[in-house]
Amino acid sequence: MPSSWNPFFLGVLVFGRNKVSKKMYRLSAFLVLFGAHLSGLWILIANSFMQTPAGYEIVGGRAVLTNFFEAAVNHSTFERYFHTIVASWVAGSLLTTGIASWYLLKEKFVEQARILLKVSIVVFIFAGILQLFTGHLHAVQVAKTQPAKLAAFEGMWETQTNAPLSMFGIPDAEKETTHFAIGIPSMLSIMVYYDSNAKIQGLKDFPKDERPPVFIVFTVYHIMIILGTLFVAMAFLSAYLLFKHKLWDYKWFLRLMLFSIPLPHIAIQTGWMAAEIGRQPWAVYGVLKTADAASVVVPAWQVLFTLIMFVIIYTLIFVIFMKLILKIIRKGPEQIKQYSY
Ligand code: HEM
């Protein structure tokens, strides 16, 4: 399905429930789901090529594609795709969980809100726990393909066996050390190679101009991990309450779910920052430095202007989206009562 069709079906999904047949409405829902997952794949293939390039040759200073399949399904495509897609499931399920919780706290549309809460919480439990596994696979992939990035994630300076899994620290690039470092001994070696004696490279193994900016990479990576761990805890708590038929019995639980709506978005942004800033100083890892990728024909002011326009347009779209979605949420399921789904 061409991705240009997606806005059409999204329009049907958001505004057309009372205007199209049940069949058409369900088809639109499926096509939006399918199209979003497919368009995510192409974006992530492009990004994965920049992270772990494959299927190309440098001919006369230019990268020439030699194997499309190898370039598309490179060493990080699979892990990145699943990690990012599951991240969107976490974000989506927490959004609908939060909306259902809000209705229940306000004692509005109680019957429908309970159904919504049950369905969304099952997805959240599944996605929240699954994300720990996709994240683990992703970290193993990074350890093997981008060892300098992993060292920055962990704030680890010395190459070592029995490498610890970092819990806390303040990396200092100038002094080449991590202050107040707390870690679980041997855990990083075990998690990556299933062997406590496995050697993991430290940042000092890499030339200074090929190390990512360690403080920011370490910090954003740890924010994502903390949130991922919190989601796992919330998933287990939700599973317990679901099992005990007590999902809507506690106001504190409903409030927790409501106020958690923004958290996956913070995890997603910090995850991207970890992946992209962690790739520096490379635009295409090991092949093209960011400094060399700067265009010689597009002046800096045009880049800045484009960026400002992007920020303005996306802020505008965000504000309109929020207004519409809040209006739809406030109206509640009453507006669509003529169909029983
Ligand atoms: C504790 C669990 C988690 C682990 C072990 C983990 C691991 C990772 C790793 C290693 C990367 C960097 C990949 C790279 O540089 O190529 C990454 C990136 C990312 N993470 Fe996580 N993560 C976890 C939780 C989460 C959660 C809860 C979310 C969002 C709900 C999330 C969203 C992302 C995103 C959007 C990226 C950037 C895209 C990518 O390269 O995959 N992560 N994660």
Side-chain angles (χ1 to χ4, degrees):
M1 184 185 64
S3 56
S4 54
W5 279 93
N6 235 6
F8 171 74
F9 290 111
L10 186 62
V12 173
L13 195 66
V14 178
F15 302 110
R17 192 157 185 161
N18 296 337
K19 298 183 180 78
V20 296
S21 69
K22 259 189 193 182
K23 236 187 193 171
M24 178 64 183
Y25 190 73
R26 283 188 185 148
L27 179 73
S28 299
F30 171 75
L31 290 177
V32 167
L33 176 88
F34 181 71
H37 281 70
L38 194 64
S39 82
L41 177 66
W42 291 110
I43 294 165
L44 293 165
I45 281 177
N47 185 262
S48 295
F49 179 83
M50 292 170 78
Q51 300 279 1
T52 50
Y56 73 98
E57 235 174 55
I58 300 290
V59 181
R62 297 173 76 97
V64 177
L65 191 68
T66 54
N67 186 326
F68 173 76
F69 189 75
E70 260 181 37
V73 188
N74 57 62
H75 298 293
S76 65
T77 307
F78 174 82
E79 290 84 346
R80 196 178 318 281
Y81 183 67
F82 282 104
H83 193 56
T84 310
I85 287 299
V86 177
S88 71
W89 296 350
V90 174
S93 57
L94 263 187
L95 173 67
T96 45
T97 303
I99 294 169
S101 302
W102 185 73
Y103 285 147
L104 290 171
L105 283 165
K106 294 260 165 203
E107 292 176 15
K108 281 164 101 179
F109 319 113
V110 172
E111 200 186 319
Q112 295 97 327
R114 284 183 177 180
I115 298 170
L116 179 61
L117 185 65
K118 256 192 191 171
V119 173
S120 341
I121 228 138
V122 169
V123 179
F124 171 66
I125 292 167
F126 172 72
I129 295 173
L130 183 64
Q131 189 65 327
L132 193 63
F133 293 98
T134 64
H136 166 68
L137 289 179
H138 212 3
V140 171
Q141 170 277 119
V142 172
K144 291 176 182 166
T145 58
Q146 298 177 305
K149 185 195 263 184
L150 184 84
F153 283 169
E154 296 295 329
M156 202 174 86
W157 296 89
E158 309 293 340
T159 296
Q160 51 191 293
T161 56
N162 295 299
L165 183 73
S166 148
M167 295 283 110
F168 181 80
I170 303 175
D172 183 336
E174 224 166 81
K175 297 204 170 103
E176 298 192 318
T177 186
T178 297
H179 305 290
F180 314 110
I182 302 173
I184 306 175
S186 304
M187 195 48 106
L188 187 61
S189 297
I190 295 172
M191 285 179 87
V192 175
Y193 295 104
Y194 309 103
D195 173 6
S196 62
N197 288 317
K199 197 183 269 182
I200 307 271
Q201 274 181 294
L203 280 162
K204 285 186 187 171
D205 254 18
F206 302 90
K208 278 192 175 169
D209 64 349
E210 288 188 10
R211 296 177 195 165
V214 59
F215 176 77
I216 175 88
V217 172
F218 178 95
T219 308
V220 288
Y221 182 70
H222 278 74
I223 293 174
M224 174 189 65
I225 297 287
I226 291 168
L227 288 170
T229 314
L230 174 71
F231 297 150
V232 173
M234 284 166 63
F236 277 108
L237 173 66
S238 307
Y240 173 77
L241 293 177
L242 179 69
F243 185 69
K244 290 271 175 194
H245 304 286
K246 288 187 169 175
L247 265 187
W248 36 82
D249 286 5
Y250 303 107
K251 283 205 165 161
W252 60 263
F253 176 71
L254 297 175
R255 278 195 201 106
L256 172 72
M257 295 326 257
L258 173 62
F259 291 112
S260 296
I261 290 177
L263 298 184
H265 300 279
I266 298 173
I268 287 169
Q269 294 307 325
T270 48
W272 273 116
M273 287 169 82
E276 302 304 301
I277 305 173
R279 192 188 59 217
Q280 301 308 313
W282 302 99
V284 181
Y285 193 75
V287 179
L288 177 69
K289 286 209 164 151
T290 308
D292 300 327
S295 170
V296 285
V297 282
V298 183
W301 73 264
Q302 281 185 12
V303 178
L304 183 67
F305 180 73
T306 311
L307 192 65
I308 292 171
M309 288 312 284
F310 264 121
V311 172
I312 292 174
I313 290 168
Y314 273 91
T315 310
L316 213 67
I317 292 175
F318 178 71
V319 172
I320 295 170
F321 171 77
M322 285 309 289
K323 280 199 159 172
L324 281 175
I325 207 91
L326 288 175
K327 198 171 150 193
I328 292 171
I329 293 169
R330 271 194 208 108
K331 265 194 177 173
E334 284 296 298
Q335 58 169 339
I336 42 157
K337 63 184 167 195
Q338 70 204 73
Y339 292 140
S340 52
Y341 285 84

